[in-house]
């Protein structure tokens, strides 16, 4: 009830009482997942049913001002999952504030809405130019200040796209060295004959991570280093200054079947990191399940060394999350009826690169309804 009242108060403040019409743009989605996890060194599989719910409102207040508020299931209480595992004695589950941001896109001074200043908490896919989840799990919602040029939500406009941001990792009143990350991205989106492409690079400079305990990312980290190198007393061994290169190429085969080839490369270029600091992801997508009766298949391979990226924020499904692993995944999606898709994904990965460690296979069957 308190969270509903908070959301209601925001809507009033955003302009409900304003005489000017506001386009509210309510959106939501529910995902039901059946998941099987098979570890080679464990006799029994783990079968579980999981659910993710997200509900938000994204008012277009004026020509220059929009906003967004979204609540989502709490999931594991960490930034890389909104999945709730069913089976806790029918107890009520929690919702948390997942997004809350202001988007100012001035029309004056020749900007014409091409520039966005975004303040608050916003999902990573709308914040960064994101090819896939080598660096950032799709459930992450960044907190801070973002500048966009050209980028429009999850899409990049034709031509030059620029992103710059400053994000807060952990605010500690007892410390003068709060952890944060600043970022910069540049990409060009265009066409070469029938092939569309995006080419770009990004840089992520983390501060006050080296020599800090895992709670530098928040209490939710709970002593986990997520594959990154630490001292024997569980403090991060290295700094993280990550350079990312990314690209995608796409078009349509004869008959109109869409295709897309994509890739990411990441390297930690911090001065004191010499080994285990590279990672890459390459993939291919065929089809697009946008309308009823349409389908798509997406397959990719990932190799991610211990200190290539910050393990706390990379994809949570690969080898149980974090860095230091490799393997492939393949997913199929079919648009069954209006607003509903069904999908099946298979993930096969190994953790602890350079060590003969047991593998991990995961099957995920999803039903997703959007409204």
């Amino acid at each position: 009830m308190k969270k509903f009242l908070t959301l209601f108060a925001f809507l009033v403040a955003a302009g409900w009482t304003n005489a000017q019409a506001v386009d509210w743009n309510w959106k939501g989605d529910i995902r039901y997942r059946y998941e099987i996890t098979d570890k080679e060194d464990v006799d029994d599989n783990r079968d579980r049913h999981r659910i993710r719910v997200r509900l938000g409102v994204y008012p277009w207040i004026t020509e220059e001002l929009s906003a967004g508020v979204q609540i989502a299931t709490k999931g594991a209480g960490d930034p890389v999952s909104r999945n709730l595992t069913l089976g806790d004695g029918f107890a009520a589950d929690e919702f948390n504030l997942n997004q809350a941001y202001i988007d100012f896109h001035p029309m004056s001074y020749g900007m014409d809405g091409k520039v966005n200043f975004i303040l608050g908490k916003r999902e990573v896919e709308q914040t960064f130019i994101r090819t896939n989840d080598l660096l950032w799990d799709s459930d992450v919602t960044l907190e801070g200040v973002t500048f966009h040029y050209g980028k429009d939500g999850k899409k990049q406009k034709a031509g030059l796209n620029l992103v710059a941001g400053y994000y807060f990792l952990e605010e500690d009143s007892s410390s003068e060295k709060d952890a944060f990350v600043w970022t910069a991205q540049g990409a060009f989106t265009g066409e070469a004959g029938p092939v569309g492409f995006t080419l770009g690079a990004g840089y992520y400079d983390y501060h006050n991570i080296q020599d800090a305990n895992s709670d530098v990312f928040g209490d939710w980290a709970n002593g986990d280093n997520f594959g990154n190198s630490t001292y024997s007393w569980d403090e991060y061994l290295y700094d993280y200054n990550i350079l990312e290169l990314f690209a995608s190429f796409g078009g349509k085969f004869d008959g109109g079947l869409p295709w897309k080839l994509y890739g990411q490369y990441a390297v930690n270029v911090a001065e004191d990191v010499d080994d285990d600091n590279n990672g890459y992801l390459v993939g291919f997508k065929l089809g697009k399940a946008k309308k009823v009766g349409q389908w798509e298949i997406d397959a990719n391979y990932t190799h991610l060394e211990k200190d290539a990226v910050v393990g706390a924020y990379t994809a949570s499904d690969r080898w149980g999350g974090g860095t230091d692993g490799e393997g492939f995944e393949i997913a199929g999606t079919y648009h069954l009826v209006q607003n509903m898709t069904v999908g099946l994904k298979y993930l096969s990965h190994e953790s602890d690169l350079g060590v003969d460690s047991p593998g991990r296979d995961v099957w995920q069957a999803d039903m997703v309804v959007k409204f």
Side-chain angles (χ1 to χ4, degrees):
M1 186 63 182
K2 290 182 179 178
K3 290 178 179 177
F4 174 79
L5 292 175
T6 301
L7 178 60
F8 179 83
F10 173 85
L11 297 179
V12 173
W16 201 341
T17 58
N18 196 320
Q20 185 174 357
V22 174
D23 187 357
W24 290 103
N25 297 314
W26 289 90
K27 296 179 183 180
D29 63 84
I30 300 174
R31 182 179 70 193
Y32 190 95
R33 168 174 291 175
Y34 174 59
E35 181 177 275
I36 303 172
T37 301
D38 179 13
K39 296 181 180 180
E40 290 183 359
D41 59 341
V42 177
D43 292 335
D44 297 322
N45 297 338
R46 182 182 185 186
D47 296 16
R48 53 182 172 172
H49 295 256
R50 315 184 80 187
I51 194 167
R52 184 190 69 184
V53 181
R54 300 180 297 191
L55 176 64
V57 60
Y58 308 91
W60 190 269
I61 302 166
T62 70
E63 187 181 31
E64 298 182 302
L65 185 63
S66 58
V69 173
Q70 184 193 65
I71 58 175
T73 41
K74 183 178 179 180
D78 61 47
V80 293
S81 177
R82 301 295 179 265
N83 293 314
L84 284 171
T85 298
L86 303 182
D88 56 355
F90 304 143
D93 293 310
E94 295 184 50
F95 279 84
N96 282 344
L97 181 66
N98 199 41
Q99 296 191 75
Y101 63 87
I102 298 169
D103 185 346
F104 175 51
H105 31 273
M107 300 298 293
S108 55
Y109 304 106
M111 295 185 184
D112 298 328
K114 296 179 181 179
V115 172
N116 295 64
F117 299 97
I118 303 157
L119 298 89
K121 185 175 179 69
R122 198 183 196 198
E123 69 176 6
V124 68
E125 288 189 287
Q126 295 191 70
T127 304
F128 291 152
I129 303 169
R130 183 178 175 275
T131 302
N132 210 293
D133 55 12
L134 185 67
L135 279 78
W136 302 97
D137 188 285
S138 61
D139 279 329
V140 171
T141 52
L142 299 152
E143 300 174 353
V145 180
T146 306
F147 165 84
H148 281 174
Y149 174 82
K151 181 173 170 60
D152 182 17
K154 295 182 180 180
K155 299 179 180 179
Q156 284 72 249
K157 294 183 179 180
L160 182 64
N161 294 262
L162 300 174
V163 177
Y166 180 91
Y167 307 102
F168 319 108
L169 296 174
E170 174 70 356
E171 195 282 324
D172 188 350
S173 61
S174 63
S175 173
E176 296 181 358
K177 294 184 177 181
D178 292 337
F180 65 92
V181 55
W182 69 263
T183 70
Q185 286 184 308
F188 187 85
T189 296
E191 294 182 350
V195 176
F197 66 88
T198 296
L199 299 172
Y203 186 71
Y204 309 85
D205 189 352
Y206 287 81
H207 287 255
N208 300 324
I209 303 299
Q210 190 173 19
D211 298 326
N213 294 319
S214 59
D215 61 4
V216 70
F217 298 116
D219 293 338
W220 63 269
N222 195 29
D224 194 340
N225 65 336
F226 306 99
N228 293 144
S229 295
T230 60
Y231 296 104
S232 58
W233 51 92
D234 197 35
E235 293 182 340
Y236 278 89
L237 185 59
Y238 298 125
D239 190 13
Y240 290 87
N241 301 328
I242 301 164
L243 174 65
E244 176 196 17
L245 304 177
F246 54 88
S248 64
F249 303 88
K252 292 184 178 180
F253 292 115
D254 291 340
L257 183 64
W259 64 271
K260 182 179 180 181
L261 177 67
Y262 59 88
Q264 288 178 275
Y265 171 74
V267 55
N268 184 3
V269 297
E271 292 182 2
D272 52 353
V273 184
D274 297 322
D275 300 311
D276 298 327
N277 61 334
N278 292 270
Y280 62 86
L281 182 152
V282 292
F284 182 76
K285 185 175 180 180
L286 183 65
K288 190 171 185 179
K290 186 176 182 179
K291 298 180 180 179
V292 174
Q294 294 181 336
W295 56 268
E296 64 184 58
I297 296 175
D298 191 352
N300 63 68
Y301 181 87
T302 303
H303 173 93
L304 191 58
E305 296 169 0
K306 286 180 67 68
D307 298 302
V309 304
V310 172
Y313 299 119
T314 188
S316 60
D317 289 332
R318 287 193 301 258
W319 56 82
T323 62
D324 197 21
E326 63 183 356
F328 72 91
E329 58 187 70
I330 182 168
T333 303
Y334 182 73
H335 202 131
L336 185 62
V337 298
Q338 186 68 35
N339 290 21
M340 187 177 81
T341 60
V342 292
L344 181 64
K345 178 185 284 190
Y346 171 64
L347 304 93
S348 180
H349 295 104
E350 293 182 359
S351 57
D352 300 323
L353 294 174
V355 178
D356 187 15
S357 59
R360 183 177 188 268
D361 296 334
V362 178
W363 290 89
Q364 296 174 339
D366 291 343
M367 179 180 289
V368 180
V369 174
K370 297 182 179 181
F371 50 90

